[in-house]
Amino acid sequence: MSIFTRRSKKARKDDSVVLPEHIGIIMDGNGRWAKKRGLPRSAGHTAGAKNFRTITRYCSDIGIKYLTVYAFSTENWKRPADEVSALMTLFKQYLEEALTDFKYDSIVVRFIGDTSAFSPELQELIQRTEAESASRTGMVLNIAMNYGSRDELVRATKLIAEKVRSGDISSDDINEELISSHLYTAGQPDPDLIIRPSGEYRISNFLLWQAAYTEFIIRDKLWPDFSTDDLDEAINEFARRNRRFGGV
Ligand code: FPP
């Protein structure tokens, strides 16, 4: 049975369940979902984008404070040109549509990754989305686009090196907090839980630094089939885990 009950249109968490403050999701399995149905891979991404919208609103409804979704990695440019192009079209369409929905949920939308690689039109949409949602007070949604954790760490290292070179800080000032504050996720708590559907046991360059003490949940379901019940069940499993953060 679900650990959550719905009152009016909003889900409310069962007070006995410890909710993760920050959830990360690797939205994997769109291609396989489409292949199983004899459809082009792009149809899998369309179904995945639909589910992104459903799961995001659900996370907001049940009181998750931060959600980070992996939408496009620094390595995804290697995919066939028609697939990359279909994804770009989908990002534009879904950003426009989902952002209207997200307004009603007061969701703050942020983008993590090097967005300067996208078309001027998509960059403009990204900037507008961030600006329009910045003053909202609800869940923070980080959409990782052209994101790679190694790339993020290289960027942070360069920013810090420049501050040392210019004399703003000394190398003795470099510590874990300083590094965290130069990542795209600066000021946000580390993810408590990362979920990877589609049965792959890999982190795929996602939040490497931030995931030092994150709990992982892998599920066999492909992303377009990953439901709100599956999310409830993952949160339930997370709540049963004993997190020790290196202690006893
Ligand atoms: C991985 O599945 C999925 C992606 C590379 C794309 C994820 C993008 C979306 C779900 C669209 C989200 C939309 C917005 C607006 C954020 P895969 O293609 O690697 O699947 P496979 O392993 O089965 O081939």
Side-chain angles (χ1 to χ4, degrees):
M1 199 179 73
S2 168
I3 52 172
F4 305 106
T5 51
R6 280 195 168 255
R7 269 197 259 126
S8 64
K9 279 195 182 140
K10 292 274 179 192
R12 292 278 179 265
K13 89 174 181 67
D14 173 337
D15 284 343
S16 63
V17 173
V18 180
L19 274 184
E21 187 180 16
H22 184 171
I23 297 180
I25 302 181
I26 301 178
M27 303 186 289
D28 192 20
N30 298 341
R32 277 164 284 169
W33 184 93
K35 194 171 172 204
K36 266 172 56 181
R37 289 162 178 76
L39 298 168
R41 290 178 59 82
S42 59
H45 294 312
T46 303
K50 225 184 224 171
N51 203 34
F52 148 75
R53 196 165 162 176
T54 305
I55 295 288
T56 297
R57 297 192 79 192
Y58 186 72
C59 283
S60 160
D61 280 353
I62 63 173
I64 301 300
K65 300 275 183 275
Y66 297 86
L67 172 68
T68 302
V69 294
Y70 207 3
F72 193 84
S73 77
T74 44
E75 288 73 36
N76 285 154
W77 297 107
K78 289 188 259 180
R79 294 186 173 210
D82 61 336
E83 183 173 343
V84 171
S85 159
L87 274 167
M88 295 302 139
T89 305
L90 202 58
F91 291 147
K92 272 184 244 161
Q93 180 197 332
Y94 261 80
L95 288 184
E96 293 276 17
E97 286 179 19
L99 297 176
T100 314
D101 278 2
F102 294 168
K103 190 159 55 187
Y104 301 114
D105 296 290
S106 203
I107 295 173
V108 179
V109 186
R110 307 236 1 243
F111 292 85
I112 62 171
D114 178 9
T115 54
S116 69
F118 294 118
S119 70
E121 197 190 349
L122 187 51
Q123 284 186 57
E124 197 273 325
L125 187 54
I126 285 171
Q127 281 156 16
R128 187 153 50 84
T129 305
E130 283 194 325
E132 273 178 21
S133 73
S135 60
R136 295 183 196 152
T137 53
M139 182 181 82
V140 174
L141 166 69
N142 296 310
I143 304 180
M145 277 180 40
N146 196 24
Y147 174 86
S149 211
R150 289 184 170 185
D151 187 60
E152 178 182 39
L153 286 163
V154 168
R155 175 181 171 273
T157 307
K158 284 183 180 166
L159 291 170
I160 293 168
E162 182 50 34
K163 286 185 184 172
V164 172
R165 194 200 61 75
S166 67
D168 276 1
I169 58 170
S170 101
S171 59
D172 289 339
D173 296 324
I174 301 174
N175 56 25
E176 292 185 11
E177 285 69 36
L178 187 90
I179 292 173
S180 292
S181 72
H182 286 79
L183 301 178
Y184 291 118
T185 50
Q188 301 187 11
D190 288 338
D192 303 291
L193 168 65
I194 289 182
I195 300 169
R196 181 162 194 157
S198 97
E200 307 285 0
Y201 287 71
R202 279 193 292 278
I203 192 164
S204 301
N205 207 7
F206 185 54
L207 304 177
L208 298 182
W209 173 275
Q210 298 90 331
Y213 287 102
T214 298
E215 296 293 324
F216 276 84
I217 288 187
I218 314 283
R219 289 291 178 262
D220 280 336
K221 275 202 179 168
L222 305 172
W223 170 247
D225 292 329
F226 189 85
S227 67
T228 55
D229 283 348
D230 294 322
L231 186 68
D232 283 354
E233 193 261 326
I235 292 174
N236 215 345
E237 178 176 331
F238 166 83
R240 289 195 300 270
R241 297 219 184 144
N242 175 15
R243 301 180 78 195
R244 291 190 296 280
F245 298 94
V248 287

